[in-house]
Amino acid sequence: MSPSTEPTQAERKLAADVLQKLLRHIAIENVKNAESRRPGHYVFEVSHAWTEGATMYLLYTTPPSDITWGLVRDTRRSLIDPGPWNDTDDPALYYYLLDLEEEWPGHIALQKGDDPDTIRWSGYPLEGLPERVSDIAERYRYTPPATAETDTRRTAPPVIEPRRYAD
């Protein structure tokens, strides 16, 4: 598996499925955080989301920060093992926990002279990414679901424990 090869139909579908699961997880966690009265902490306001081939793209802000962050991931590459994801992994959960929650940048604000249209990207691959929010096509704009759709009592995903390793 080489990330530079043309993605298969299954890899394209995986990227789309992972992105949808990640967006759903973000919406559920945003509701939980709002209900627990932890304003701003681990809230992700997604403005754009899309896939191209096996790669997913996510643009978001993390209130109270006003910076636009971007996450790009080739979903053929596992974050926790060399090679592809295996059938028991939940890539969306790992992207949420490791890329978003663990690296939560909500405490960072724009400085005087910073361009608010600039995207600060993380992930892989980082080459050839749009530099500004205005460079993103309108068709990639994301509208979060209504709050009722993210009711955590009805739609909470199963808890999947991370793998544990011992020497």
Side-chain angles (χ1 to χ4, degrees):
M1 175 215 61
S2 170
S4 62
T5 62
E6 186 65 28
T8 65
Q9 193 61 23
E11 291 169 336
R12 291 173 191 271
K13 183 176 177 348
L14 173 66
D17 290 347
V18 168
L19 179 59
Q20 288 305 309
K21 288 178 184 176
L22 178 59
L23 291 168
R24 183 173 176 270
H25 194 75
I26 289 169
I28 290 169
E29 292 301 315
N30 283 348
V31 169
K32 283 183 186 177
N33 287 328
E35 289 174 352
S36 69
R37 306 214 191 312
R38 293 172 47 189
H41 194 63
Y42 300 138
V43 169
F44 304 95
E45 294 181 354
V46 178
S47 64
H48 296 79
W50 73 97
T51 61
E52 287 181 14
T55 304
M56 68 172 198
Y57 302 84
L58 187 73
L59 264 58
Y60 60 95
T61 57
T62 55
S65 176
D66 48 1
I67 296 174
T68 300
W69 303 94
L71 174 65
V72 58
R73 284 287 179 197
D74 182 329
T75 58
R76 296 175 288 188
R77 298 176 61 156
S78 171
L79 289 179
I80 55 175
D81 286 324
W85 294 100
N86 70 42
D87 292 337
T88 60
D89 289 331
D90 182 353
L93 178 61
Y94 284 106
Y95 292 136
Y96 182 82
L97 293 174
L98 299 177
D99 283 328
L100 299 179
E101 197 169 82
E102 188 173 288
E103 300 295 326
W104 187 78
H107 59 283
I108 303 170
L110 288 172
Q111 301 299 308
K112 185 177 180 178
D114 286 350
D115 182 356
D117 196 40
T118 299
I119 304 168
R120 280 114 176 130
W121 289 98
S122 66
Y124 174 87
L126 294 174
E127 307 85 33
L129 296 170
E131 295 178 12
R132 306 170 66 75
V133 176
S134 57
D135 295 338
I136 309 296
E138 189 61 30
R139 71 179 178 271
Y140 298 136
R141 181 159 299 282
Y142 173 73
T143 303
T147 305
E149 293 178 33
T150 58
D151 184 345
T152 57
R153 291 176 298 269
R154 292 188 296 121
T155 60
V159 175
I160 299 174
E161 292 293 324
R163 294 186 214 168
R164 308 261 188 245
Y165 295 94
D167 292 332

